[in-house]
Amino acid sequence: FESDIILQIRHLSKCLRKDFDERVAAFGLTAQQGRILFCINRNYIEQTPIQQSDIEKCFQLSKSSTSEILSRMISNNLIEKVMVNRHFTLVPTEKGTSIVNDIHESKKEVIRKLFVGFSEEEINNITNYIKKMTDNIEKEEC
């Protein structure tokens, strides 16, 4: 029983990742670039400066791989480096922000598909169950 649930969650996660990868590919981005762009955009919105070293840690990438990915993203006008308090901070460009917004908008279609046939109460329950499972597993890891 328990392993079946894990397999179902893993399969759903794989499907959602594939969908995301296809959405960012439509903008000419690799999946990794898409995830990094979303991370930089989120930090920018939250006014939390993010640097190359943060990307390295967050995505478990080497310094050279991170540098190569970020250089490509800069040359494609997706992000830029801005000097803040004597440190280079990564921020999305207008083009990068626009791509993130477009993908967020198209994500609504995926969410609609996920919950076809569910009542509002069922959706709320699923949300609460997933949060509780996540909290439980994070307590174990810490």
Side-chain angles (χ1 to χ4, degrees):
F1 165 75
E2 292 88 0
S3 65
D4 188 46
I5 290 171
I6 290 172
L7 289 174
Q8 289 177 25
I9 291 170
R10 186 176 289 150
H11 181 68
L12 177 59
S13 177
K14 183 180 173 183
C15 291
L16 292 171
R17 181 176 289 255
K18 182 178 182 276
D19 179 82
F20 175 82
D21 293 352
E22 289 170 357
R23 288 178 193 281
V24 298
F27 289 95
L29 303 174
T30 66
Q32 189 76 286
Q33 288 173 329
R35 284 186 267 289
I36 290 171
L37 180 59
F38 269 74
C39 176
I40 291 170
N41 191 71
R42 182 181 58 248
N43 280 60
Y44 181 72
I45 289 169
E46 294 172 356
Q47 296 181 341
T48 307
I50 188 165
Q51 300 171 357
Q52 178 172 331
S53 59
D54 299 317
I55 299 293
E56 293 165 12
K57 289 176 199 160
C58 180
F59 292 92
Q60 299 177 337
L61 295 169
S62 69
K63 187 174 185 169
S64 61
S65 292
T66 306
S67 181
E68 186 178 321
I69 292 167
L70 295 177
S71 292
R72 254 188 262 124
M73 293 176 73
I74 290 168
S75 68
N76 289 329
N77 194 31
L78 299 169
I79 61 171
E80 59 187 355
K81 287 184 178 181
V82 176
M83 185 66 80
V84 176
N85 297 329
R86 297 190 325 233
H87 297 284
F88 279 111
T89 299
L90 301 167
V91 297
T93 61
E94 189 175 317
K95 178 182 175 183
T97 300
S98 176
I99 289 171
V100 168
N101 290 340
D102 287 348
I103 293 171
H104 273 305
E105 203 50 44
S106 69
K107 192 170 68 172
K108 291 176 184 177
E109 175 64 19
V110 175
I111 292 169
R112 188 193 61 72
K113 283 182 191 177
L114 277 173
F115 293 113
V116 167
F118 286 85
S119 69
E120 191 172 328
E121 181 180 358
E122 289 172 318
I123 293 170
N124 289 334
N125 286 340
I126 289 170
T127 302
N128 291 331
Y129 296 150
I130 291 172
K131 177 163 180 9
K132 189 173 183 177
M133 288 188 289
T134 303
D135 290 347
N136 288 342
I137 210 81
E138 285 177 348
K139 285 178 191 171
E140 286 278 320
E141 292 175 351
C142 296

